[in-house]
Amino acid sequence: MAIPALPRPLSLRQRLTMCGEGWMVAVIPFVVGLGLSLAFMAGADFTEWEFRDDDPVAIAQIVDVTKVVHSNKARHHYELEYGYVVDGVAYENFAVANGLVEIPDPATLRVQYVPRRPDWSRIPGLRKTRLGNWLWLAGLLPMLIGVVAAVFYVRGVLASWRLVRYGIVTKARSSRRPLPGLSKRGKPMSEAILTFQAIDGQDYELYLGPTGNFKQGESTRVVYLADAPSTVQRYDSLPKHVKALLSVQPA
């Protein structure tokens, strides 16, 4: 068997060609998840975490109340704009009340504010956003899916690079071995085995299981790593761009 010159050189263009379009499986869910998280974070009110039960209170006045009807017209909420004064400085803020919450009495309206940031205030029992602040976590799941997909994608690309640089293509002979106790439609089942000889002179086998459609003695091609002949796979199952870069060696 002629031994090819290894490792084969790979140009940058060839490496990029072998990357294919699999990166989209990782990028798309990650970008979607990131967009969801940023969208929910933009509408969230993280100042709620700054409030304490013993924060100072100021008298407030309701400036405006807007009733917002939802798209299904079966639900609605109110958007309240209010003003208050702290140490002679006037501030304005807003709050959201759903349709089941009673709007605070303007005559007895009190708001809490953060001492070091008087412009941060809240009406006890109401929120500043209609949606929960935790919804930004919804984007973490597709982002995680994208990261996991990226790991498998990178591993696959690196494996393809290695296979092209160090892979050896050779012929293999198929054989079938009966599988005791297994049958399909009343016929006994058998598994296909591909046997080939590596450059070290030893014979190796590739087990395809009962799904292998090779007949006894049929010839096909396999590719294995020169430094690990047991790492073998069918040549016909490789992507086209990988097969195009592999030099087929005669058996």
Side-chain angles (χ1 to χ4, degrees):
M1 178 186 298
I3 302 177
L6 301 176
R8 299 182 183 89
L10 276 180
S11 65
L12 177 60
R13 181 177 180 180
Q14 289 173 326
R15 291 178 185 268
L16 294 178
T17 300
M18 293 175 63
C19 291
E21 298 180 353
W23 58 270
M24 298 178 63
V25 178
V27 172
I28 291 178
F30 185 86
V31 171
V32 171
L34 181 61
L36 285 174
S37 292
L38 292 177
F40 285 125
M41 290 176 68
D45 175 32
F46 296 108
T47 63
E48 289 186 1
W49 299 340
E50 299 291 334
F51 290 96
R52 302 293 183 268
D53 292 337
D54 57 351
D55 284 338
V57 176
I59 299 176
Q61 294 182 345
I62 295 181
V63 178
D64 186 31
V65 177
T66 303
K67 181 179 179 180
V68 179
V69 180
H70 298 181
S71 57
N72 56 13
K73 297 183 179 181
R75 301 178 59 185
H76 65 273
H77 70 273
Y78 297 98
E79 295 181 354
L80 286 68
E81 185 179 352
Y82 61 89
Y84 58 100
V85 178
V86 177
D87 296 332
V89 180
Y91 299 95
E92 288 190 357
N93 217 322
F94 59 92
V96 174
N98 60 44
L100 302 178
V101 176
E102 185 177 354
I103 299 177
D105 186 358
T108 60
L109 182 59
R110 301 290 188 273
V111 297
Q112 286 183 310
Y113 63 90
V114 179
R116 66 177 183 277
R117 289 293 303 270
D119 56 321
W120 289 1
S121 64
R122 68 173 179 176
I123 300 177
L126 300 185
R127 291 162 40 182
K128 296 178 66 175
T129 59
R130 186 169 62 89
L131 301 177
N133 291 335
W134 56 269
L135 285 176
W136 68 273
L137 297 173
L140 295 184
L141 179 59
M143 290 175 65
L144 178 60
I145 294 175
V147 171
V148 173
V151 171
F152 283 97
Y153 166 72
V154 172
R155 289 182 59 183
V157 170
L158 294 178
S160 296
W161 289 355
R162 186 184 180 199
L163 185 64
V164 170
R165 297 196 70 198
Y166 297 96
I168 297 177
V169 180
T170 186
K171 289 183 179 180
R173 289 286 179 181
S174 65
S175 60
R176 303 200 70 90
R177 184 176 63 184
L179 294 174
L182 296 180
S183 61
K184 184 177 181 181
R185 298 178 180 177
K187 298 181 179 180
M189 297 182 64
S190 62
E191 68 173 337
I193 303 174
L194 299 182
T195 305
F196 67 98
Q197 187 178 71
I199 57 177
D200 58 5
Q202 298 186 23
D203 289 339
Y204 294 86
E205 294 180 336
L206 173 62
Y207 296 89
L208 300 180
T211 58
N213 56 357
F214 290 97
K215 298 179 180 179
Q216 182 75 23
E218 186 177 349
S219 178
T220 186
R221 289 182 293 179
V222 295
V223 57
Y224 65 93
L225 295 176
D227 57 345
S230 59
T231 306
V232 59
Q233 53 187 305
R234 291 176 53 195
Y235 179 81
D236 294 336
S237 65
L238 298 175
K240 291 182 179 180
H241 54 269
V242 175
K243 290 191 290 187
L245 295 174
L246 278 170
S247 297
V248 179
Q249 302 297 326

